Amino acid sequence: MSQRGALGPRWGLLLAFLLALGELPQVGGVEEEPGSEHQESEGFQVVTFKWHHVQDPYIIALWILVASVAKIGFHLSHKVTSVVPESALLIVVGLVLGGIVWAAEHIASFTLTPTVFFFYLLPPIVLDAGYFMPNRLFFGNLGTILLYAVIGTVWNAATTGLSLYGVFLSGLMGDLNIGLLDFLLFGSLIAAVDPVAVLAVFEEVHVNEVLFIIVFGESLLNDAVTVVLYTVFESFVTLGGDKVTGVDCVKGIVSFFVVSLGGTLVGVVFAFLLSLVTRFTKHVRIIEPGFVFVISYLSYLTSEMLSLSAILAITFCGICCQKYVKANISEQSATTVRYTMKMLASGAETIIFMFLGISAVNPDIWEWNTAFVLLTLVFISVYRAIGVVLQTWILNRYRMVQLEIIDQVVMSYGGLRGAVAFALVVLLDEDKVKEKNLFVSTTIIVIYFTVIFQGLTIKPLVQWLKVKRSEHREPKLNEKLHGRAFDHILSAIEDISGQIGHNYLRDKWSNFDRKFLSKILMRRSAQKSRDRILNVFHELNLKDAISYVAEGERRGSLAFIRSPSTDNMVNVDFSTPRPSTVEASVSYLLRENVSAVCLDMQSLEQRRRSIRDTEDMVTHHTLQQYLYKPRQEYKHLYSRHELTQDEDEKQDKEIFHRTMRKRLESFKSTKLGINQNKKAVKLYKRERAQKRRNSSIPNGKLPMESPIHNFIIKEKDLELSDPEENPNYDAEEMSGGIEFLANVTRDTATDSPSGDTGSDVPLTGRTSPREVPPATEKSPRPLAPPPAPPTAQNPAPAALPDLELGAGPTSEAGSASGTWLERRGLPGAHARSAAERRVHSRRSFQRPRTRRRPALLKLASLQPSCHAPPHGLEQEETPL
Amino acid sequence: MGSGGSRAAQVPDADSIRRETGFSQATLLRLYHRFRALDSNKKGYLSRVDLQQIGALAVNPLGDRIIDSFFPDGSLRVDFPDFARVLAHFRPVDDEDTGTRDPKEPEPLNSRMNKLRFAFQLYDLDRDGKISRHEMLQVLRLMVGVQVTEEQLESITDRTVQEADEDGDGAVSFLEFTKSCWEGLGLSWHFLKEAIYISWREDGSSRRSPFRCQGD
């Protein structure tokens, strides 16, 4: 609240500037600009001041600036934005600004006009919604959405209008020049849930994705109903109540189908056009994104021209084109489209809400009728609730995923009205609708009430309901883990059984799409590499990887995979007797570990110091934060203000890498495991380093690096093909590498005959708990992180204390990075030789604690609290 | 393959599979189509590679384990009855019809216990009836992002095992596993009760009665 007070002066300043500019024309007309050339008034002027020339665009630009700056202002205080929805804040700012303008000029010069709203502000928002629409979720719930959008809206309009009329007849509203049709007209425009307002609020309330898509979809699709009801009743009002015949009513119903289906059709046609165009933009990459916006905007205008539902048209244009456009345009263009769309939508939304505030400051439009306003509020809330409950009751008999009480409450309460209603009510003709001003002021009150009051309270309400439903209790680790695991299992089973939204129509459609649409609308390259389910990873990748290995098998023992790796190894400068490739790769890994050891000491120090409680909390938090999200949670959500896709991609990529790595490993162990011998084991080792890379090489390109570079660089380059990828990933890869080695060795030792028990079994399964009892795992950790069991198989740790002594415990990983650099660089040879020795000994023995060491590396870059983002990039690169 | 042509295809042994799994005719047919669609070169069974070709599984951290669960005991192929049998775990729990069911018959595949057992076996790789600390660590490693250090992972594992471990043997038995899932009802009740995403809803049977703990 104090925020709002503090905002006042700032806006005051901005506005003063704005007004000053407004005043300038008169001033500038009279006297010369003081800074201009000395009194050459009649001749050529070097500098002229032409306010009128730029006035309109200038003011528009300034308003946009003001609105955007306001947004910055809100987010200065996180406390405010976490409680108050942005839309409400914007309305308040608009009110304040409007008040200032009014005080200064006494004219309401800035209002939200229907033209501006419908032509410029609404399309980007709806296009954004369509283009980023989670299609699967949307079409999966299409029946529900349609029911709410059509029946629900008609119900709301009819009941609200009729009830108001009933109350009017009882005389409670006093004397109004109003008829039944006017009430119905008002009901129809106030009935529709507004997409802009709903999204703005729901984005901040975290509800489940089904509920979200239902409310959001409803708000988008009810436009057709609103448009039809509005035009029908408007024409009836124009005709006059007594002249309306049954034929007109039938016409009205027919026009509903025409408007909605026609709008959809226009959208689909333009989506087709758009996809087709983007197929051929290969040589005009730079204007590629432009097509997306222009053509979809044309779909909007076209359907507006044909008096069809424009919102439906642009929504479906976005929905239908997204798949093909995303496949066709280049990655940069896709990013451009994404960001531009978000920017336009977000900006338009900001301006809409601010102008909703400003528009209210105009005494001319206010006409108060307490009974009418209050009853409207009561009716829209009550009837919405009744409608939702009734429809849900029907729907739940057919739905797979039931809508529960809490969902119904949120749906009823989330029926926000917004700018569409306002623009429609402003459009009314005062000559025909006598009480237009009453309608306008009531609409404004309704919008304010729903956006501000309900928007403010919906979040606490949801939280409260949830708390009520499940008693408040910190879930245990097991619950978190298993719960998440169940989610993953379910989505995997769903993928295997092809169950989600699986039906005849869907099959037909995807067949049709594959056979015809994609062939026409997608570039040939895109056709090849696209994936039905994921855009991120192409199935092809997977097939390639598998066939890559198969190819190796055919050509004989993966020699061709190994060959580039041999090249690498040769160029690693080993001073000691030239190690074989096997040792090189392994020693490289071990060297990494050795240098990381001292860092581990530091973190361990920290850990020991840390209190048990915080550790507890950290554990929970870590698990909470870093458990992979099941698909349901992250794939389908739409957000207007955020582009979270990158994170999803990262997660996908991460898991994909892991999976592929494991599969390749198990693939080989399956193939070779049948005649397992020493040679095969050696092979594994040699391939190991290479395999890690292969798994991440897109479409089976062979790593063709020049031998000049350092080995580490190559490793990194290949692994981090995506520059945004987490640098720690490298370390993870390492861990995988050693892990695998350990297992391979173990496999030989135990001489397990079944090499084919599972793709990840060789990686995960063989290390039974007997071999790695927790006690031995733990005890040496605080003393010396590398396991120093006095066995012959591990001579290396003897060399380690030296390194550690040089370091000295530094508490912060960040400050340690400098010294760490030296340490990592200098003792390289030392560590290497130690590592090599270890390699020799490791050939036939398993090392019990292989797994921990590579991870020690990561401890350096991640503080134990793990809240901080991993900042290990420079640390990872320093040894280069 | 066009759905039109395969529609006529008869599911082999449909009756016995239906009896065992409880799938409806339509569901079974649908699954059979899916099975044949997955079967890349019409060999009549699915190999591991066939399932691995499902793109979404490659980004599912537990994807490979699920695939493995289709191939018990080192088999290399899964035929349709086995396929249906595994999927039958994910049918909604039948209503409390234990009274009507013949007690001699084995517990239906979609009972809560069997659902849980299915999940349990994804953890329990060596099939010794216990999730050892090590097995837990493996699962956690699969499911947790790379940002978490191995150190932290181990610590989490220790806690997780300790939390569930009641008899102090350092491992989680099936009983202990079910108990910890019981408690986590809020998270996993979909899985236990209805497996909503997999519920084919042949009849109107998925009611929302409160979940009843029924011991082992």
Side-chain angles (χ1 to χ4, degrees), chain A residues 254-268:
Chain A
V254 171
S255 86
F256 164 72
F257 288 102
V258 173
V259 165
S260 54
L261 296 178
T264 311
L265 189 71
V266 168
V268 172

Side-chain angles (χ1 to χ4, degrees), chain A residues 473 476 478 482 486 488 494-496 499 616 626 628 654 658-659 663 760 767 781 852 855 862, chain B residues 34 58 60 64 68 123 134 141 143 145-147 150-151 154 159-160 163 183 188 197 200 208:
Chain A
R473 180 174 62 91
K476 290 185 176 172
N478 272 287
H482 300 326
F486 292 161
H488 285 307
E494 189 182 287
D495 294 327
I496 288 177
Q499 192 54 42
D616 221 33
Y626 292 113
Y628 287 129
E654 214 172 278
R658 289 175 166 200
T659 312
R663 284 187 188 166
D760 61 349
T767 40
R781 213 187 303 163
R852 178 160 313 115
L862 187 66
Chain B
R34 177 67 180 167
N60 189 321
D64 276 351
D68 289 339
Y123 291 72
H134 193 77
R141 190 179 286 123
M143 289 181 47
V146 291
Q147 299 93 331
E150 196 70 10
E151 187 78 17
E154 302 225 353
R159 275 156 200 282
T160 313
E163 195 183 270
E183 287 161 6
S188 49
Y197 297 104
W200 280 283
R208 307 213 145 218

Side-chain angles (χ1 to χ4, degrees), chain A residues 760-817:
Chain A
D760 61 349
V761 171
L763 182 63
T764 57
R766 294 289 157 70
T767 40
S768 85
R770 289 176 296 282
E771 288 171 316
V772 194
T776 53
E777 290 247 346
K778 274 182 148 174
S779 56
R781 213 187 303 163
L783 299 170
T791 44
Q793 70 206 50
N794 226 333
L800 298 173
D802 304 350
L803 300 176
E804 286 157 25
L805 281 177
T810 324
S811 54
E812 281 176 58
S815 69
S817 69

Side-chain angles (χ1 to χ4, degrees), chain B residues 8 23 89 101 114 116 121-122 124 159 172:
Chain B
F23 283 128
H89 285 102
R101 190 171 288 276
N114 274 327
L116 279 176
Q121 279 168 1
L122 293 183
D124 181 23
R159 275 156 200 282
V172 183

Side-chain angles (χ1 to χ4, degrees), chain A residues 514-777:
Chain A
R514 200 165 46 241
K515 279 186 189 147
F516 303 106
L517 277 184
S518 293
K519 286 206 175 120
I520 300 170
L521 299 179
M522 274 194 198
R523 286 186 193 161
R524 218 157 275 137
S525 55
Q527 284 173 32
K528 239 194 312 180
S529 61
R530 98 208 145 85
D531 182 355
R532 271 184 304 129
I533 308 160
L534 297 161
N535 293 323
V536 194
F537 288 109
H538 316 301
E539 242 168 280
L540 198 73
N541 234 347
L542 199 144
K543 281 181 193 153
D544 274 2
I546 289 171
S547 66
Y548 185 56
V549 180
E551 170 78 353
E553 291 294 323
R554 198 174 53 75
R555 283 213 232 157
S557 308
L558 293 147
F560 84 113
I561 294 181
R562 201 169 62 244
S563 52
S565 116
T566 321
D567 290 341
N568 296 341
M569 301 315 158
V570 171
N571 288 285
V572 183
D573 58 333
F574 285 104
S575 46
T576 39
R578 169 72 74 79
S580 77
T581 53
V582 185
E583 286 152 355
S585 64
V586 175
S587 67
Y588 162 69
L589 296 176
L590 293 182
R591 181 157 50 96
E592 289 291 292
N593 304 330
V594 169
S595 41
V597 160
C598 29
L599 282 151
D600 184 44
M601 279 304 279
Q602 292 153 17
S603 351
L604 281 174
E605 287 281 315
Q606 252 182 343
R607 277 183 73 84
R608 245 180 298 163
R609 261 182 266 130
S610 73
I611 317 160
R612 184 93 178 150
D613 286 351
T614 56
E615 201 180 325
D616 221 33
M617 210 181 65
V618 165
T619 311
H620 276 265
H621 185 88
T622 311
L623 194 63
Q624 183 82 31
Q625 197 174 5
Y626 292 113
L627 272 177
Y628 287 129
K629 292 199 179 85
R631 191 184 54 220
Q632 282 83 13
E633 265 178 50
Y634 76 93
K635 273 271 185 267
H636 294 312
L637 287 180
Y638 167 87
S639 162
R640 185 176 299 147
H641 302 290
E642 276 155 45
L643 279 166
T644 49
Q645 217 167 353
D646 290 348
E647 272 174 36
D648 303 344
E649 276 178 27
K650 209 167 85 186
Q651 172 180 332
D652 281 352
K653 222 172 255 189
E654 214 172 278
I655 305 176
F656 184 77
H657 278 241
R658 289 175 166 200
T659 312
M660 289 316 300
R661 202 168 63 228
K662 270 187 297 165
R663 284 187 188 166
L664 282 166
E665 280 156 7
S666 73
F667 187 83
K668 285 172 191 173
S669 63
T670 315
K671 292 281 171 196
L672 300 173
I674 297 154
N675 51 354
Q676 242 179 8
N677 51 26
K678 275 276 180 204
K679 242 181 190 171
V681 178
K682 266 193 190 171
L683 246 174
Y684 292 151
K685 289 186 183 174
R686 242 175 274 167
E687 288 148 16
R688 181 55 213 137
Q690 212 41 48
K691 255 182 281 174
R692 279 199 315 278
R693 278 170 271 168
N694 295 339
S695 61
S696 61
I697 296 164
N699 294 335
K701 266 178 249 152
L702 272 174
M704 299 296 283
E705 60 280 279
S706 74
I708 307 157
H709 294 298
N710 189 312
F711 177 63
I712 307 171
I713 296 179
K714 280 172 216 144
E715 191 76 25
K716 200 180 296 298
D717 286 349
L718 285 164
E719 294 295 347
L720 307 179
S721 49
D722 181 353
E724 289 164 15
E725 212 166 344
N726 192 337
N728 280 336
Y729 191 66
D730 215 352
E732 167 65 19
E733 291 284 333
M734 299 295 132
S735 116
I738 294 208
E739 208 172 296
F740 177 67
L741 269 172
N743 282 300
V744 167
T745 352
R746 200 161 302 139
D747 284 356
T748 348
T750 54
D751 202 16
S752 151
S754 62
D756 49 20
T757 29
S759 42
D760 61 349
V761 171
L763 182 63
T764 57
R766 294 289 157 70
T767 40
S768 85
R770 289 176 296 282
E771 288 171 316
V772 194
T776 53
E777 290 247 346

